[in-house]
Amino acid sequence: MAKLLRVFENCNQIFVVTLVLLLGSWCLLSGASSSSSFCPGGDCGKAAIRGVGSSSSSRRSSDGVVFRRALATGNNNDPTGGVVLTQSLLDDGESLLEFKAAITSDPTEALRYWKRQGKRQVLNACRWPGVTCKHRRVFAVNLFNKQLQGTIPSSSLGQLALLSSLNLSGNFLSGPITTMLQQTGSFPALVSLDLSNNNLTGALPDSSSLASLHNLSFFDVSNNDLRGPIPSQLFSLPALQSLDLSHNSFNGSIPTALNLSSSSQLQNLDLSDNQLSGNISADFLANLTSLVSLDVSRNPLGGVIPATVGQLIHLQSLQLTSCNLTGSIPQEFTACVELRELKLNGNSLQGDIPPSLGGLPQLSSLDLSSNLLEGDFLSFIANTSILQELLLSDNRLNGVIPPSLGTSLQKLTLSLSLSHNQLSGPIPEQLGDLVLVQNLDFSFNSLSGSIPESIGNCSSLLSLIISHNRLEGSIPPQLGNLTKLTQLDLSDNLLSGSIPASLTTISMLSFLNVSDNNLQGLIPNFTHQSSNNNITASSFLDNPGLCGVIINKECQSSSHDTRNKILLGAIVGDELQLRLSAEEILLATGGFGEANIIGRGLTSTIYRGVYNDVDVAVKRLTIFPMDVAVEPDTKLETLASVRHNSLVRVVGYCSSPEIKALVLEYMPNGSLEKLLHPSPGAELVQTFNWNARLNVAIGVAQGLAYLHHERAATTPLVHGNVKPSNILFDAKWRARISDFGMSTILAPDAGASGGASGYIPPEAMASGATAATVKWDVYSYGIVLLEMLSGRRPDDRVKVTPNLPAWIRKTVSESKSLQQVLDPLLLPDLPSHQQRIAMVMGLALMCTRDIPDERPTMKDVLKKLMEIKNRFQNKSQRSSRDSRQSSKQRTLPHTPSLSHWSGTAPATNV
């Protein structure tokens, strides 16, 4: 009788009552034997009438609980407080309406037709958008990317007895996740659960609540704000094949004491971008032998890679990026014969690259960059087979690039990066055999010899970077054959001769840098490419023999004064040092007229000047060493010799008894100070969004890293006064550092007074006037970063932020949100860039730690910033997540946990 009733649940009530009475009469007339099998107790008619009455009351009830409890029997009504499961399509619809009632915003009207319909108020969930039924029961609910806001009721969805697939990803659902998972017995038939890309909070429920998910195969809660430890029971779900907990704030260690005998089906596990600590235990890997994909990247782990990784014989992708791993790369990787992708970059791995890695038969992508690997990698290259991407940059590799590279890596289609190593010798001609490769980067090595003409055969190249080496000879005209090339960087070498006109035929070329070489002659016409605003005069800096319209330098001699021409050449970028007389300085600045003042400081006054129709900035020093009579030009000449694209160029100086001055490039777009804190009524001339601020951060870091680490001098050059007013913008709005090195020429007793209030580190304030150090610069730089992110000055008494780092730590700790500390102008960028913004904020707070030894070096800071900028490139999985995240335009998403900003973590985390 109960089965027949369910068929007619949605019929008119009077018709149903009549039909039930007829069936009841038939039941009574059918005899005892019939009633015992069809109606236990022989009371079929009464039972039917009670059933109809309960159904009627459920339609009048707002939540349907009365009807479900009336029908629930046995395991469906757990007396211990477990969930009450639905028994009919009508029950299913009532549960879905409970879920709808908790939704506070539905901008796409995804749930518009989730309601009773028609005069009879029929409740048929099978007709609702996003709902799939089988056998007249709700089988799947898919509300992906509907921009829904609200919470998930504690039991509504979990009561759906036959629900197999639930997809609520890409919404704005909030509240603790335990509200839908904590009840015993919920989701008994669930196979796939996707709650990713929401704003869910709290911890995952304990093991007893997860036990009912015995059919769960796919579980994704990535990109939320979940925290707490990962329950060990989760790994023991017998049917689980894919588990994604990435981009949350889970902490504690990776569960190791697991009963994994029943979890052999787990194939895909992603724990990346959390706060998991401790080592990766040998047992953890040994017990997950069915894994196909494992990603634990960007967690503050430590220790070594366990040798049990060799037991993962089905593994195809392993990513352990930025996990603070040490030790060597295990030889046991040779057993992972199905491995296709291996990313161990961003750690502190040491020793040689095991030659056996090159022999893995399926390996197509290998990233070992940013480690401490050393030795000659010749034997490794010799064993490679089908690699499509090989990234070995930022290590200590030495030796030469083997000629066999062209033969061994013929299937390379993506990238080959050997930058920032200690490689020497020539670039082999066989490089031209890499006809499929798209990106080559051999920069920052000690490579010598000439650029092989055969590179012109690499017809798929998009980017060629071989800067900062010792390459000689001319630029091969064959490079003009690289018709797909968009980026060409040959800077900081010893190249000579002319720039081939064939380069102008590369229509896709948008970035060119041949600066800091010995090139000569007329610069070809890059009119087409320069329309992209990326091939400018800065592309040709520090080549004394070059001339042409683009650098505003005539190729033939003229009747102008030779001295004036030399100064003009220096101003536009030629590698010249020029001492000017006091008369020339006075003439250029109008006798240091008040109308020409563009800036004042404690140690200098800056004037705008014009010399030979070229704008310059003249910095007249008001404090100078007392021993000026002894080698008076040495220190000024030192500053005039410093060259970097992120530094304001010193093109001349004056050291007369009356005048001590530096002649600088004129920066037409003002300072970072004026961009961050414009005066009232000032016209907005540049949109200072997140991407612009990140580029400024990187540019300044590049300049400081050069001063501290990359100059040929034996000692670093300390800036000593890093602040927004000393960060200027050129005509292309590129950040350039001014005032560098002034601490080396100021009076010895200037000390801490040389730094601006709010940017001086605690050690300088505590010990009085002391000489600035590189750690001083790091602290000041961190303050500048925080000022760019928050829009607040470090000593802003009006906004009550006397200590900017402390205020940000306290505010974020209390609010658990970035929105409270961000510059309001950055809030529109927060939905799509929250991860990068959070990471830069964390990096800035590390730079501003009170103890100098706990601050990172500027080299490490730059490395981290570049990682932050490029972290999602070439990662299809993360690109998919970004595309889903980009749909969230109405409400700001959650902010990852910021507890690692407390200042207690070691500096090695950078």
Side-chain angles (χ1 to χ4, degrees):
M1 177 61 68
K3 294 182 178 178
L4 289 174
L5 281 174
R6 296 188 189 107
V7 175
F8 301 106
E9 283 172 342
N10 296 322
C11 298
N12 182 274
Q13 183 175 348
I14 297 175
F15 173 76
V16 172
V17 172
T18 304
L19 180 60
V20 169
L21 290 174
L22 291 174
L23 289 172
S25 300
W26 173 80
C27 179
L28 293 173
L29 295 173
S30 61
S33 60
S34 174
S35 65
S36 62
S37 60
F38 184 74
C39 297
D43 196 8
C44 200
K46 294 181 180 178
I49 295 173
R50 286 198 299 271
V52 173
S54 299
S55 178
S56 176
S57 67
S58 73
R59 293 189 178 95
R60 294 191 298 268
S61 173
S62 62
D63 59 9
V65 173
V66 174
F67 175 67
R68 285 194 297 278
R69 289 196 180 277
L71 291 180
T73 59
N75 292 333
N76 292 324
N77 190 6
D78 189 345
T80 63
V83 69
V84 178
L85 299 178
T86 59
Q87 297 188 36
S88 65
L89 179 60
L90 182 61
D91 285 356
D92 294 344
E94 294 284 2
S95 291
L96 292 177
L97 288 182
E98 288 182 40
F99 169 76
K100 177 183 178 180
I103 299 300
T104 58
S105 176
D106 180 13
T108 66
E109 296 188 327
L111 309 180
R112 178 181 179 182
Y113 296 103
W114 284 32
K115 58 185 178 180
R116 296 178 176 86
Q117 297 177 343
K119 294 181 179 179
R120 299 177 180 177
Q121 292 292 285
V122 176
L123 188 61
N124 187 356
C126 295
R127 297 180 180 178
W128 295 350
V131 177
T132 301
C133 288
K134 282 188 178 181
H135 307 297
R136 291 190 55 80
R137 293 298 300 275
V138 172
F139 175 80
V141 176
N142 185 353
L143 295 174
F144 162 69
N145 206 17
K146 301 301 183 184
Q147 303 183 38
L148 300 174
Q149 297 182 35
T151 59
I152 304 176
S154 60
S155 61
S156 60
L157 298 178
Q159 293 173 315
L160 297 171
L162 300 183
L163 183 66
S164 176
S165 175
L166 176 60
N167 187 348
L168 301 178
S169 63
N171 288 289
F172 300 104
L173 300 175
S174 58
I177 193 172
T178 51
T179 58
M180 69 175 301
L181 294 177
Q182 67 183 352
Q183 285 195 306
T184 304
S186 60
F187 297 109
L190 198 62
V191 174
S192 176
L193 177 58
D194 191 347
L195 303 175
S196 62
N197 292 286
N198 278 288
N199 298 328
L200 299 175
T201 58
L204 290 174
D206 57 24
S207 57
S208 61
S209 300
L210 294 172
S212 61
L213 302 175
H214 52 272
N215 292 314
L216 192 64
S217 173
F218 177 90
F219 187 32
D220 188 350
V221 290
S222 61
N223 282 291
N224 280 284
D225 193 17
L226 304 178
R227 56 191 65 238
I230 299 174
S232 59
Q233 180 70 25
L234 192 58
F235 289 88
S236 299
L237 296 178
L240 192 63
Q241 295 184 25
S242 180
L243 175 60
D244 192 344
L245 307 180
S246 63
H247 293 273
N248 280 287
S249 302
F250 291 113
N251 54 28
S253 60
I254 299 174
T256 55
L258 305 176
N259 177 19
L260 295 174
S261 60
S262 60
S263 66
S264 59
Q265 296 190 59
L266 188 59
Q267 298 178 12
N268 302 296
L269 177 59
D270 193 344
L271 305 177
S272 62
D273 293 279
N274 280 288
Q275 298 177 28
L276 301 174
S277 57
N279 299 339
I280 302 175
S281 74
D283 291 340
F284 174 73
L285 296 181
N287 289 325
L288 297 175
T289 54
S290 295
L291 277 181
V292 174
S293 173
L294 174 62
D295 191 349
V296 196
S297 299
R298 291 171 295 280
N299 279 286
L301 300 170
V304 302
I305 302 175
T308 52
V309 69
Q311 299 182 29
L312 306 181
I313 58 175
H314 302 294
L315 196 63
Q316 297 180 12
S317 175
L318 177 61
Q319 300 187 50
L320 302 177
T321 298
S322 301
C323 290
N324 294 335
L325 299 176
T326 58
S328 59
I329 299 175
Q331 295 285 347
E332 286 76 6
F333 271 115
T334 56
C336 303
V337 292
E338 297 185 19
L339 196 61
R340 292 180 169 86
E341 178 185 45
L342 178 59
K343 296 188 180 299
L344 306 177
N345 52 299
N347 289 291
S348 298
L349 299 175
Q350 301 176 340
D352 297 335
I353 301 175
S356 55
L357 280 185
L360 291 173
Q362 304 295 326
L363 190 63
S364 61
S365 177
L366 177 62
D367 190 350
L368 303 178
S369 59
S370 300
N371 278 289
L372 304 175
L373 300 172
E374 54 192 7
D376 190 337
F377 68 104
L378 175 61
S379 57
F380 165 73
I381 290 293
N383 291 334
T384 54
S385 54
I386 64 168
L387 273 178
Q388 298 179 17
E389 180 180 48
L390 177 59
L391 308 176
L392 302 176
S393 60
D394 286 281
N395 278 288
R396 300 174 179 176
L397 302 176
N398 53 40
V400 301
I401 300 176
S404 60
L405 176 143
T407 303
S408 301
L409 300 179
Q410 281 192 350
K411 295 187 178 180
L412 209 66
T413 57
L414 296 176
S415 301
L416 172 61
S417 178
L418 304 174
S419 66
H420 289 85
N421 278 288
Q422 302 168 14
L423 302 176
S424 58
I427 300 175
E429 283 285 342
Q430 291 82 352
L431 190 69
D433 294 335
L434 304 180
V435 296
L436 301 177
V437 71
Q438 298 180 19
N439 303 286
L440 288 176
D441 188 352
F442 297 162
S443 60
F444 290 92
N445 280 286
S446 298
L447 300 175
S448 56
S450 60
I451 300 175
E453 297 178 355
S454 63
I455 293 184
N457 299 329
C458 301
S459 55
S460 300
L461 268 183
L462 304 177
S463 173
L464 175 61
I465 304 176
I466 49 179
S467 62
H468 293 84
N469 281 287
R470 300 174 183 173
L471 299 173
E472 301 175 327
S474 59
I475 300 174
Q478 290 81 358
L479 295 187
N481 298 334
L482 305 176
T483 57
K484 298 180 181 179
L485 200 66
T486 61
Q487 182 178 17
L488 177 62
D489 192 346
L490 310 177
S491 61
D492 281 277
N493 280 288
L494 303 173
L495 300 174
S496 57
S498 61
I499 299 175
S502 61
L503 297 184
T504 64
T505 65
I506 307 176
S507 60
M508 302 295 292
L509 192 64
S510 60
F511 177 85
L512 173 66
N513 190 359
V514 295
S515 60
D516 291 283
N517 282 287
N518 296 315
L519 300 172
Q520 301 173 349
L522 177 66
I523 298 174
N525 186 3
F526 287 92
T527 303
H528 176 73
Q529 293 92 337
S530 62
S531 64
N532 295 321
N533 293 325
N534 290 317
I535 300 181
T536 63
S538 62
S539 301
F540 310 98
L541 298 173
D542 298 314
N543 287 279
L546 287 179
C547 56
V549 176
I550 195 169
I551 62 173
N552 196 25
K553 181 181 179 182
E554 297 180 8
C555 291
Q556 67 276 9
S557 59
S558 66
S559 58
H560 288 289
D561 180 75
T562 302
R563 188 178 183 84
N564 293 355
K565 272 300 186 190
I566 293 176
L567 176 61
L568 177 60
I571 292 171
V572 298
D574 293 348
E575 184 67 40
L576 296 175
Q577 300 174 18
L578 183 65
R579 178 173 179 175
L580 303 180
S581 66
E583 292 77 12
E584 290 171 311
I585 292 293
L586 290 171
L587 180 63
T589 60
F592 293 119
E594 287 288 326
N596 292 327
I597 295 177
I598 55 177
R600 296 182 186 271
L602 183 65
T603 62
S604 62
T605 302
I606 305 174
Y607 298 82
R608 181 171 181 174
V610 178
Y611 195 94
N612 199 30
D613 297 326
V614 176
D615 289 332
V616 294
V618 179
K619 185 182 189 72
R620 185 177 188 182
L621 304 179
T622 56
I623 299 178
F624 207 73
M626 298 301 295
D627 60 346
V628 69
V630 180
E631 300 181 358
D633 301 339
T634 302
K635 295 180 178 180
L636 293 176
E637 284 181 353
T638 298
L639 294 185
S641 68
V642 177
R643 293 288 188 268
H644 191 275
N645 288 338
S646 293
L647 302 177
V648 175
R649 188 178 299 271
V650 180
V651 296
Y653 67 93
C654 176
S655 181
S656 69
E658 303 86 8
I659 299 174
K660 304 292 185 296
L662 292 172
V663 182
L664 312 169
E665 287 180 286
Y666 177 69
M667 298 286 107
N669 283 319
S671 68
L672 177 62
E673 168 75 20
K674 292 183 178 179
L675 195 57
L676 281 174
H677 312 292
S679 57
E683 181 183 358
L684 179 65
V685 295
Q686 175 72 4
T687 302
F688 204 34
N689 58 16
W690 163 247
N691 286 325
R693 298 187 198 212
L694 181 58
N695 287 333
V696 170
I698 291 174
V700 176
Q702 288 173 330
L704 292 177
Y706 171 79
L707 294 175
H708 291 182
H709 306 288
E710 298 176 16
R711 292 179 63 248
T714 57
T715 58
L717 183 58
V718 178
H719 189 291
N721 196 15
V722 179
K723 57 182 179 179
S725 59
N726 281 334
I727 298 170
L728 309 180
F729 294 100
D730 63 14
K732 302 298 181 183
W733 287 97
R734 291 168 296 199
R736 311 276 286 276
I737 305 173
S738 68
D739 245 14
F740 57 88
M742 294 305 296
S743 60
T744 66
I745 64 174
L746 294 176
D749 59 352
S753 63
S757 174
Y759 304 90
I760 303 174
E763 65 269 20
M765 299 295 293
S767 57
T770 58
T773 66
V774 291
K775 293 298 186 179
W776 180 329
D777 282 355
V778 173
Y779 181 91
S780 302
Y781 173 80
I783 295 293
V784 172
L785 280 187
L786 295 178
E787 189 168 354
M788 282 201 294
L789 291 169
S790 68
R792 295 177 178 237
R793 290 186 172 91
D795 54 353
D796 193 341
R797 302 291 175 176
V798 176
K799 294 183 179 180
V800 197
T801 52
N803 186 314
L804 190 56
W807 174 76
I808 287 179
R809 287 189 179 96
K810 181 177 183 294
T811 303
V812 171
S813 176
E814 293 176 349
S815 66
K816 307 298 182 185
S817 171
L818 275 178
Q819 301 176 40
Q820 304 300 318
V821 297
L822 280 187
D823 186 337
L825 295 177
L826 286 179
L827 293 181
D829 292 321
L830 190 56
S832 56
H833 295 291
Q834 60 167 336
Q835 295 286 343
R836 291 183 174 94
I837 293 174
M839 294 177 73
V840 173
M841 184 78 79
L843 181 62
L845 290 173
M846 293 178 71
C847 292
T848 56
R849 287 175 173 161
D850 290 343
I851 301 175
D853 290 342
E854 292 184 353
R855 300 171 199 153
T857 65
M858 284 308 306
K859 184 177 181 180
D860 288 335
V861 170
L862 176 59
K863 179 179 175 181
K864 186 63 176 180
L865 284 173
M866 295 307 297
E867 177 186 330
I868 292 171
K869 181 177 181 179
N870 303 318
R871 64 175 301 190
F872 293 115
Q873 292 181 358
N874 298 324
K875 292 184 179 291
S876 59
Q877 182 179 10
R878 309 211 189 288
S879 298
S880 175
R881 290 173 182 157
D882 281 356
S883 66
R884 288 183 290 177
Q885 196 74 6
S886 66
S887 67
K888 303 181 176 186
Q889 299 174 355
R890 296 176 181 263
T891 304
L892 295 175
H894 82 280
T895 300
S897 172
L898 308 176
S899 60
H900 64 287
W901 295 358
S902 60
T904 58
T908 55
N909 283 349
V910 176

